[in-house]
């Protein structure tokens, strides 16, 4: 099973930036998608970004489009999520997760059930 480990969370003031990393290991095929999800206390888990591991195609939710960027470094088996122009409502635990790609497409970000391997998460806190 794919193993994932996030890092890079922290506390920042509104308008600031953070960079999250997700190291991906134990995968047997590169035909996978790595998604970024977040969950705030009392709220449902929300998909914010995804990247097709083999081709680099990216996907974003409307809530983060233009502010967050996901990218990959294949040599390091690492996926990144750059968070810019952070808002207090971005405060949450952030997770990366893996899903099998279908026809080189990633599952919709609303399909948390399509992602079957998850990291433990890293906390992002944005103060006003």
């Amino acid at each position: 099973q794919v193993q994932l480990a996030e890092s890079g969370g922290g506390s920042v003031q509104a308008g600031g930036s953070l960079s999250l990393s997700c190291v991906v290991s134990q995968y047997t095929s590169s035909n996978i998608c790595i998604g970024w999800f977040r969950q705030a206390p009392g709220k449902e888990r929300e998909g914010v970004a995804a990247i097709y591991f083999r081709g680099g195609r990216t996907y974003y939710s409307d809530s983060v489009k233009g502010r967050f960027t996901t990218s990959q470094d294949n040599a390091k088996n690492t996926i990144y999520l750059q968070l810019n122009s952070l808002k207090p409502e971005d405060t949450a635990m952030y997770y990366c997760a893996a899903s099998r790609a279908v026809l080189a497409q990633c599952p919709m970000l609303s399909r948390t059930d399509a992602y079957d391997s998850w990291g433990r998460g890293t906390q992002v806190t944005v103060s006003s």
Side-chain angles (χ1 to χ4, degrees):
Q1 188 175 12
V2 179
Q3 302 292 314
L4 305 107
E6 307 93 337
S7 63
S11 298
V12 65
Q13 289 190 328
S17 298
L18 283 173
S19 181
L20 308 184
S21 299
C22 173
V23 177
V24 185
S25 61
Q26 306 296 321
Y27 59 94
T28 57
S29 168
S30 62
N31 189 39
I32 57 174
C33 294
I34 304 299
W36 288 96
F37 298 81
R38 66 185 182 187
Q39 189 166 21
K43 295 189 176 181
E44 292 188 355
R45 192 164 293 188
E46 172 193 16
V48 297
I51 186 166
Y52 178 45
F53 201 66
R54 180 179 290 174
R57 182 175 181 176
T58 56
Y59 307 75
Y60 298 96
S61 68
D62 289 342
S63 61
V64 307
K65 195 173 295 182
R67 300 190 298 123
F68 292 7
T69 303
T70 189
S71 61
Q72 64 189 119
D73 183 334
N74 289 341
K76 297 181 179 179
N77 288 332
T78 301
I79 305 296
Y80 302 99
L81 184 67
Q82 179 66 35
L83 295 70
N84 295 330
S85 302
L86 282 161
K87 306 174 182 180
E89 52 264 43
D90 294 318
T91 295
M93 185 72 78
Y94 282 71
Y95 302 87
C96 58
S99 172
R100 184 176 302 175
V102 178
L103 298 177
Q105 300 277 344
C106 290
M108 293 177 62
L109 289 170
S110 58
R111 291 284 315 279
T112 56
D113 61 305
Y115 289 79
D116 50 15
S117 297
W118 292 79
R120 294 186 176 182
T122 186
Q123 178 69 36
V124 171
T125 302
V126 185
S127 58
S128 58

